[in-house]
């Protein structure tokens, strides 16, 4: 294919993709001059380029659209749904012509006269039916009705020369033949010879348009288009380099005092940077997968006679292009499902007290090395009665079994093949081939899908997928002398089980379980599942439990040994093994051995526990969820020793990782110890002021992380992880400590994590706080979508004498209002996905139960404009997110003023 034609196809397709989105926006904002100008420019560019390349059919169609858009831009016509639909139909026609043009390098035969006639009628303010009602003589009227085609191309300085040539009308009708022949001669005789001047102007216009487009796309010269195959080959070579790097590091571990240690460490760093760079070339914003959704939602709303608003958050979030391609279809299907099944028609929404316009929200963000995508709607949610009836009708469960299931367990049946609650089959949905296919496709790429639905309020689907499928972090384990890799994205924690350990494997009805922090964890024996060697009694030997999570289901995999985590290159499973769902691929380790990569989804399915969670675990989850907000609940705590005194504790939810740092890698920056951690410098802050760097030794470090920053707390020894109540018995004035509590039957110092974080980064948080006590323990509702800030502020407020209830969204907070909960003050974040803090404040003020409850806004922005917006929404006060001292003072003052009132 000619390079010029190839470039034209690429740019035109990009312009058409932009037009699809812009036209939908135009229908919603018909008076936006910026949108109109941009749409007109894109269509004008397409028309001009078609004329330059000699594509008459495309040029005629684009020219007719340009006439209509010119009327819109000049205000002579008003934008209507019919007009937008007509232009969208034209775009589809152009796409069809481009498709044939790409395959044959020539325009397809045929005529678009009917569409052109309807566009010309629209330009005159009339509407023609889609049927071919226009007379055959309509074709010559195009130039008559469009004087711009005759006069616009003439340069201003030639108007005196070309004026005598304008009266004769015969030249315009055959534009195709004249637009090609006199191209070369046009620039020379145009000034001196009037007769041949009419043919050159269209040609001159086309050339001007091409030159104009080149100027506009000058910024695009900073980027280049690279063929996908080249990137794939580059990624393959980097993968091989990573394997070789792993092999060299394996050799280095066996030879401690080697002269190759320094260059191999340098090679390790360079390889990691190269790997990261190549991965970035494959990254694309997820907005590329969302580009077609506005048009889809627009068409869906017209077809279903619903008012639908699509909100897309985090469109700039990047992920691997291979993953992006694989999730396009599942996302499209789920958005269609939300529009068809989830959202009600306007009359039903108004009757339910909602706005007549339904909202579908897409939200994407990074979390722990993977991508989280949320698809939510504010519709009617899942009707449990309909689901139960369909379950019984399909014979999937009996009424007695359904009576013993929790609501969430019943809702999971929508992922069953052939399951649909639609009353009738339509072109949109109802065939029962949707959600099971979505779930299967997401699990094929190592992802999971979860669902939360409240009847009458809406449904949220949460998809968790890896950033890339090429190189992943995995935990290497051994079972029956065979090694396997477990993707770290599915690993929660590791537990050692033995007779001399606190944790022992027990059996209930013959099934192995582990009592972990007062909860029963179902176990799967990898040896029995894979039928490796002779079955041994797991209770009589030391074993390790890999605690994994698939969706809402948590289980443990019994293995013999645990080695280390490695960056592995994923290779596809051989065809002879593809039918085995327990494996997702294979890889080559540093010693050259080939091992299989386990698929936690397949293991959970094979163990028979994923389809329906055990009733005991489901009930425990429901109880835990309903009681986790109470102060007297138990919480996971990390116990460690550091310096003098007894054991010390910190909430485990604040801890990102536990590391064992080689002190030879510790460097000094501004006199403070730092270590290179995941490509960045991490400050090391010791609890013991007398701690000194001892070379040739290793040091336990507790890593705290928030966003891109991390801090390592230097401790002497990690003691245990326990679950206990955090109730500070004795306060303290010692900096860095909140006080003392009884944890695991011992007096334990509870550290103030915020104090040490400010020693690493002075701008991380505010100053230390001063606690106060009151005779009455006031109840505080904390609403923040960040688990880090919830887990940090909850102990701080608890020690200060408050009874804290923490939730992650405004929806959960409003659910507490419906349940009849009362609070003395509500502290809410402003920037939250879904319902923002400002919308939440308005909802609170509109409610009857909480309308008088004081509201304190918590945000990283506290400008005067933000303060005004917050007070207009209903907030009583506004506190900067990192100023803990101001927060405590504001709470005390707010509660005092409420009591005085």
């Amino acid at each position: 294919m000619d390079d010029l034609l190839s470039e034209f196809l690429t740019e035109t397709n990009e312009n058409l993709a932009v037009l699809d989105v812009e036209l939908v926006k135009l229908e919603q904002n018909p008076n936006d001059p910026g949108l109109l100008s941009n749409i007109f420019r894109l269509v004008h560019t397409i028309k001009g380029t078609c004329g330059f390349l000699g594509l008459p059919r495309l040029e005629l169609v684009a020219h007719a659209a340009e006439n209509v858009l010119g009327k819109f831009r000049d205000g002579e016509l008003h934008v209507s749904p019919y007009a937008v639909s007509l232009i969208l139909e034209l775009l589809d026609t152009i796409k069809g012509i481009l498709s044939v043009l790409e395959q044959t390098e020539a325009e397809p035969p045929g005529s678009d006269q009917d569409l052109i006639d309807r566009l010309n009628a629209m330009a005159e303010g009339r509407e023609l039916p889609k049927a071919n009602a226009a007379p055959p003589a309509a074709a010559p009227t195009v130039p008559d009705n469009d004087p711009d085609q005759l006069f616009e191309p003439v340069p201003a300085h030639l108007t005196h020369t070309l004026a005598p040539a304008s009266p004769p009308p015969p030249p315009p009708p055959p534009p195709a033949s004249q637009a090609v022949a006199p191209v070369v001669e046009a620039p020379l005789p145009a000034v001196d010879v009037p007769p041949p001047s009419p043919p050159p102007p269209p040609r001159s216009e086309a050339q001007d348009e091409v030159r104009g487009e080149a100027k506009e796309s000058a910024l695009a010269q900073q980027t280049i288009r690279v063929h996908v195959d080249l990137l794939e080959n580059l990624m393959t070579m980097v993968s091989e380099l990573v394997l070789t790097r792993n092999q060299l590091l394996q050799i280095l571990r066996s030879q401690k005092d080697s002269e190759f240690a320094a260059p191999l460490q340098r090679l390790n760093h360079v390889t990691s940077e190269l790997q990261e760079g190549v991965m970035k070339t494959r990254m694309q914003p997820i907005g590329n997968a969302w580009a077609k959704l506005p048009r889809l939602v627009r068409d869906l709303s017209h077809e279903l006679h619903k008012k639908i608003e699509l909100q897309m958050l985090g469109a700039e979030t990047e992920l691997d292009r291979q993953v992006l391609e694989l999730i396009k279809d599942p996302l499209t299907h789920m958005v269609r499902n939300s529009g068809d099944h989830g959202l009600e028609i306007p009359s039903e929404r108004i009757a339910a007290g909602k706005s007549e316009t339904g909202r579908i929200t897409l939200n994407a963000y990074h979390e722990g090395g993977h991508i989280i995508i949320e698809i939510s709607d504010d519709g009617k949610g899942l009707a449990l009665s309909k689901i139960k009836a369909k379950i019984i009708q399909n014979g999937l469960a009996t009424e007695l079994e359904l009576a013993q299931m929790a609501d969430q367990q019943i809702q999971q049946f929508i992922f069953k093949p052939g399951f649909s609650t639609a009353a009738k089959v339509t072109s949109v949905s109802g065939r029962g081939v949707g959600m099971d296919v979505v779930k299967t496709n997401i699990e094929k790429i190592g992802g999971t899908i979860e669902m939360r639905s409240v009847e009458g309020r809406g449904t949220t689907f949460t998809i968790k997928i890896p950033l890339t499928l090429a190189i992943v972090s995995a935990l290497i384990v051994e079972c029956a002398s065979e090694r396997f890799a477990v993707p770290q994205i599915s690993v929660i924690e590791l537990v050692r089980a033995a007779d001399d350990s606190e944790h022992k494997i027990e059996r209930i009805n013959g099934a192995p379980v582990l009592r972990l922090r007062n909860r029963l964890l179902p176990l799967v024996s990898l040896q029995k599942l894979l039928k490796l060697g002779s079955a041994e009694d797991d209770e009589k030997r030391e074993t390790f439990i890999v605690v994994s999570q698939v969706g809402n289901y948590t289980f443990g995999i019994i293995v013999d040994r645990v080695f280390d985590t490695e960056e592995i290159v994923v290779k596809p499973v051989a065809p002879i093994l593809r039918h085995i769902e327990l494996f997702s691929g294979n890889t080559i380790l540093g010693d050259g051995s080939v091992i299989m990569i386990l698929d936690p989804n397949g293991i959970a399915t094979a163990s028979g526990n994923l389809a329906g969670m055990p009733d005991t675990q489901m009930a425990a989850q429901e109880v835990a969820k309903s009681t986790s907000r109470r102060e007297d609940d138990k919480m996971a705590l990390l116990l460690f020793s550091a310096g003098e005194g007894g054991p010390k504790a910190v909430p485990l939810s604040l801890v990102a990782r536990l590391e064992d740092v080689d002190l030879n890698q510790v460097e000094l920056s501004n006199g403070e110890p730092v270590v290179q951690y995941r490509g960045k410098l991490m400050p090391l802050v010791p609890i013991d002021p007398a701690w000194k760097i001892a070379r040739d030794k290793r040091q336990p470090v507790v890593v705290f992380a928030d966003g891109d920053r991390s801090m390592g707390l230097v401790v002497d020894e990690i003691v245990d992880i326990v679950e206990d109540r955090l109730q500070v018995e004795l306060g303290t004035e010692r900096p860095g400590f909140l006080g003392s509590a009884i944890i695991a039957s011992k007096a334990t110092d509870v550290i103030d994590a915020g104090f040490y974080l400010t020693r690493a980064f002075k701008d991380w948080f505010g100053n230390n706080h001063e606690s106060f006590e009151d005779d009455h323990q006031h109840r505080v509702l904390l609403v923040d979508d960040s688990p880090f800030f919830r887990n940090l502020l909850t102990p701080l407020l608890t020690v200060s004498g408050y009874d804290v209830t923490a939730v992650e969204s405004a929806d959960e907070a409003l659910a507490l209002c419906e349940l009849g909960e009362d609070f003395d003050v509500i502290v809410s974040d402003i920037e939250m996905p879904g319902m923002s803090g400002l919308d939440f404040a308005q909802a609170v003020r509109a409610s009857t139960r909480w309308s008088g409850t004081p509201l304190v806004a918590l945000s990283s922005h506290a400008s005067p404009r933000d303060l005004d917006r917050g007070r207009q929404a209903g907030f009583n006060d506004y506190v900067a997110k990192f100023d803990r001292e101001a927060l405590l003072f504001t709470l005390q003052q707010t509660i005092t003023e409420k009591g005085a009132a």
Side-chain angles (χ1 to χ4, degrees):
M1 181 182 293
D2 181 66
D3 290 341
L4 191 60
L5 180 60
S6 175
E7 186 70 11
F8 163 75
L9 290 172
T10 302
E11 291 187 359
T12 304
N13 281 317
E14 290 175 356
N15 289 338
L16 290 174
V18 175
L19 281 171
D20 266 342
V21 178
E22 297 288 77
L23 283 168
V24 175
K25 292 181 181 177
L26 177 64
E27 188 175 20
Q28 300 171 353
N29 304 284
N31 298 321
D32 190 336
L35 275 177
L36 283 168
S37 298
N38 190 38
I39 293 172
F40 180 84
R41 181 183 63 80
L42 291 173
V43 174
H44 191 64
T45 298
I46 294 174
K47 188 207 75 169
T49 313
C50 292
F52 180 79
L53 293 176
L55 303 172
R57 182 176 176 183
L58 273 175
E59 184 180 14
L60 287 174
V61 174
H63 182 69
E66 185 185 22
N67 289 341
V68 176
L69 291 170
K71 302 281 187 180
F72 290 154
R73 184 187 60 173
D74 298 336
E76 299 179 20
L77 289 177
H78 295 289
V79 178
S80 65
Y82 171 81
V84 174
S85 297
L86 193 59
I87 297 174
L88 288 173
E89 181 182 345
L90 173 133
L91 295 185
D92 292 337
T93 302
I94 293 177
K95 291 176 184 177
I97 297 175
L98 290 178
S99 178
V100 177
L101 186 63
E102 184 176 1
Q103 297 173 10
T104 63
E105 300 188 25
E107 284 185 317
S111 173
D112 307 296
Q113 195 59 46
D114 174 62
L115 180 60
I116 293 173
D117 290 342
R118 285 187 285 142
L119 286 167
N120 289 335
M122 171 60 64
E124 296 172 2
R126 300 182 291 110
E127 292 185 8
L128 286 181
K130 193 170 184 178
N132 294 326
T141 63
V142 176
D144 295 337
N145 291 336
D146 185 22
D148 293 341
Q149 190 174 12
L150 294 175
F151 298 102
E152 183 185 4
V154 181
H157 67 280
L158 299 181
T159 51
H160 66 284
T161 307
L162 298 178
S166 58
S177 59
Q178 294 182 2
V180 179
V183 170
V184 180
E185 301 174 3
L188 296 176
V191 178
D192 300 322
V193 185
S197 58
R203 182 60 179 167
S204 176
E205 178 196 3
Q207 290 173 339
D208 289 344
E209 291 302 330
V210 173
R211 286 195 295 269
E213 173 65 17
K215 291 178 182 178
E216 290 182 355
S217 61
L219 293 175
Q221 300 301 320
Q222 298 176 2
T223 62
I224 60 172
R225 288 191 177 94
V226 180
H227 201 280
V228 173
D229 290 342
L230 180 60
L231 291 179
E232 294 293 343
N233 292 335
L234 185 60
M235 190 68 216
T236 301
M237 297 307 298
V238 170
S239 300
E240 296 299 327
L241 180 61
V242 170
L243 290 177
T244 306
R245 184 270 310 267
N246 292 345
Q247 292 176 343
L248 291 174
L249 292 178
Q250 184 76 17
I251 297 173
L252 183 62
R253 293 189 189 103
S254 62
Q255 301 177 4
K256 294 184 179 180
D257 299 327
S258 172
E259 58 182 336
F260 298 108
L264 284 180
Q265 288 294 341
R266 176 61 181 162
L267 175 64
N268 182 25
H269 289 304
V270 172
T271 303
S272 299
E273 292 175 3
L274 178 61
Q275 174 189 338
E276 183 179 355
V278 174
M279 294 295 293
K280 286 182 179 179
T281 64
R282 292 166 54 99
M283 293 294 179
Q284 291 185 349
I286 197 171
N288 292 354
W290 294 354
K292 297 180 180 179
L293 295 180
R295 167 81 180 272
L296 172 72
V297 170
R298 183 259 178 195
D299 293 343
L300 198 62
S301 64
H302 281 264
E303 181 178 350
L304 301 174
H305 306 291
K306 298 179 179 180
K307 294 186 177 181
I308 306 176
E309 175 190 354
L310 178 64
Q311 183 179 25
M312 297 186 291
L313 308 173
E316 70 283 354
T317 305
E318 293 186 334
L319 71 165
D320 192 286
R321 61 167 296 276
Q322 183 181 3
V323 180
L324 190 70
E325 292 297 324
L326 292 173
I327 66 168
K328 278 184 179 179
D329 289 341
L331 284 179
T332 301
H333 180 87
M334 297 181 74
V335 170
R336 290 174 69 93
N337 250 18
S338 294
D340 185 24
H341 289 301
L343 298 179
E344 312 95 328
I345 60 176
S347 59
E348 293 178 355
R349 292 184 62 85
I350 294 175
K354 303 178 181 179
S355 64
E356 62 178 1
T357 301
R359 175 182 293 180
I360 300 175
T361 303
L362 294 176
N363 185 26
Y365 53 93
H366 289 276
E367 183 181 278
H370 45 269
I371 296 287
I372 304 295
I373 305 173
E374 295 178 346
I375 304 100
S376 60
D377 64 71
D378 61 350
K380 55 190 174 185
L382 293 179
L384 284 176
S385 58
K386 291 184 178 180
I387 296 178
K388 289 179 180 178
K390 198 69 177 181
I391 292 172
I392 297 173
Q393 179 184 338
N394 292 357
L396 299 176
T398 64
E399 291 187 17
L400 181 60
E401 291 172 337
L402 290 176
Q404 298 174 349
M405 294 182 184
D407 290 348
Q408 186 178 4
Q409 195 172 359
I410 295 173
Q411 292 171 352
Q412 300 299 319
F413 278 89
I414 70 167
F415 293 109
K416 293 288 185 181
F419 194 92
S420 176
T421 58
K424 60 180 180 179
V425 176
T426 66
S427 60
V428 179
S429 59
R431 296 176 177 82
V433 292
M435 296 308 298
D436 65 306
V437 176
V438 169
K439 185 172 185 288
T440 301
N441 289 342
I442 291 174
E443 288 179 351
K444 280 182 179 178
I445 59 176
T448 60
I449 180 170
E450 301 176 17
M451 177 191 62
R452 302 189 308 273
S453 182
V454 179
E455 192 167 353
R457 299 187 57 192
T459 303
T460 299
F461 290 93
T462 303
I463 299 174
K464 181 179 178 181
I465 53 178
L467 278 174
T468 178
L469 303 181
I471 301 178
V472 299
S473 180
L475 178 70
I476 310 301
V477 300
E478 182 181 87
C479 181
S481 302
E482 295 285 345
R483 284 181 293 178
F484 300 92
V486 182
Q488 201 165 6
I489 187 176
S490 302
V491 177
I492 300 177
E493 61 179 309
L494 298 174
V495 179
R496 173 181 173 270
D499 291 338
D500 59 347
S501 171
E502 176 187 355
H503 302 103
K504 299 179 182 179
I505 296 178
E506 305 174 27
R507 291 190 177 274
I508 298 179
N509 296 329
V513 295
L514 180 71
R515 195 176 299 275
L516 182 62
R517 291 189 284 277
N518 294 327
R519 294 179 62 184
L520 291 179
L521 181 74
L523 301 180
V524 178
S525 173
L526 189 62
Q527 180 176 350
K528 293 181 179 178
L529 196 62
L530 298 178
K531 301 178 181 178
L532 299 174
S534 59
E536 299 180 8
D537 189 359
D538 294 331
E539 299 179 6
K540 295 183 179 179
R541 57 189 176 90
E542 180 185 65
T543 58
F544 292 90
I545 312 297
V546 181
V547 182
S548 302
Q549 184 171 11
V550 177
N552 293 323
Y553 177 55
T554 304
F555 64 102
I557 304 173
I558 303 174
V559 298
D560 297 338
R561 296 176 63 189
V562 176
F563 293 98
D564 202 352
T565 57
E566 284 192 22
E567 296 287 327
I568 63 171
V569 180
V570 179
K571 302 288 186 180
V573 181
I576 195 173
L577 298 176
R578 283 180 186 167
H579 67 283
I580 304 177
E581 297 181 350
L582 302 177
F583 304 123
S584 60
N586 55 61
T587 188
I588 304 175
L589 293 182
D591 58 3
S593 58
V594 179
I595 66 171
M596 303 301 296
I597 303 173
L598 297 174
D599 181 6
N601 291 288
I603 292 175
T605 303
S607 64
N609 291 325
L610 185 57
M613 278 186 262
D615 296 338
T616 54
Q617 184 184 4
M618 197 69 185
Q621 288 184 352
E622 293 296 327
V623 172
K625 181 179 288 187
S626 62
T627 59
S628 61
R629 305 184 182 106
R630 303 298 303 146
E631 177 220 354
D632 58 354
D633 278 345
K634 294 182 178 179
M635 66 186 306
L637 299 166
L638 175 68
L639 297 181
F640 58 89
S641 60
E644 299 178 352
K648 296 170 178 59
V650 66
L652 183 63
S653 52
L654 292 178
V655 178
R657 290 177 68 90
L658 301 177
E659 298 286 356
D660 196 31
V661 175
D662 184 357
L663 293 180
N664 290 326
Q665 304 296 325
V666 176
E667 306 170 66
L668 293 178
S669 175
N670 295 326
E672 300 295 333
V674 297
V675 66
Q676 295 185 31
Y677 183 72
R678 299 193 170 187
K680 296 187 178 181
L681 289 178
M682 179 176 71
L684 297 179
V685 179
I687 292 181
D688 183 3
W691 177 78
K692 294 182 179 180
I693 302 175
R695 301 297 180 180
D696 300 326
K697 290 186 178 181
R698 305 189 71 86
Q699 184 79 38
V701 171
V702 180
V703 178
F704 299 85
D706 182 33
D708 294 333
R709 295 189 293 189
S710 58
M711 182 273 285
L713 187 65
V714 179
V715 302
D716 295 340
E717 182 185 4
I718 303 296
V719 178
D720 199 0
I721 295 176
V722 299
E723 194 167 88
D724 209 334
R725 292 180 178 86
L726 181 59
Q727 185 173 354
V728 177
E729 304 285 345
L730 299 174
T732 180
E733 297 296 329
R734 285 191 303 164
F737 294 88
L738 296 175
S740 299
I742 299 176
I743 300 175
S745 304
K746 292 184 179 180
T748 306
D749 294 329
V750 181
I751 71 164
D752 180 5
F755 172 82
Y756 296 100
L757 292 174
T758 55
R759 288 184 57 187
F761 297 93
K762 295 186 182 299
D763 60 342
W764 196 318
F765 299 105
N767 298 324
N768 292 332
H769 66 275
E770 294 180 2
S771 62
F772 71 94
E773 296 182 358
D774 197 353
D775 295 336
H776 170 66
Q777 193 173 36
H778 298 285
R779 295 196 68 192
V780 175
L781 174 61
L782 176 62
V783 187
D784 197 315
D785 64 297
S786 169
F788 186 88
F789 280 104
R790 288 200 311 273
N791 294 323
L792 184 78
L793 292 178
T794 298
L796 173 69
L797 297 177
T798 300
V799 171
S800 299
Y802 293 107
D803 177 5
V804 183
T805 298
V807 295
E808 65 178 349
S809 68
D811 291 332
E812 288 190 29
L814 293 175
L816 292 178
C817 180
E818 295 177 2
L819 292 174
E821 296 280 352
D822 289 315
F823 297 93
D824 294 292
V825 65
I826 300 173
V827 180
S828 174
D829 188 15
I830 295 296
E831 299 84 7
M832 294 187 294
M835 180 182 290
S836 68
L838 298 177
D839 294 337
F840 171 62
Q842 294 174 352
V844 168
R845 292 299 175 231
S847 67
T848 55
R849 189 172 195 90
W850 288 358
S851 58
T853 304
L855 277 167
V856 176
L858 195 63
S859 177
S860 55
H861 307 288
S863 65
R865 181 171 176 271
D866 295 323
L867 295 175
D868 292 339
R869 289 177 58 202
R871 290 196 172 93
Q872 290 175 6
F875 282 103
N876 299 80
D877 212 331
Y878 216 108
V879 179
K881 198 165 191 175
F882 306 128
D883 196 342
R884 297 180 298 159
E885 183 178 1
L887 174 62
L888 292 171
F889 176 78
T890 300
L891 288 178
Q892 184 179 14
Q893 187 179 38
T894 302
I895 292 175
T896 302
E897 291 176 355
K898 180 184 177 183

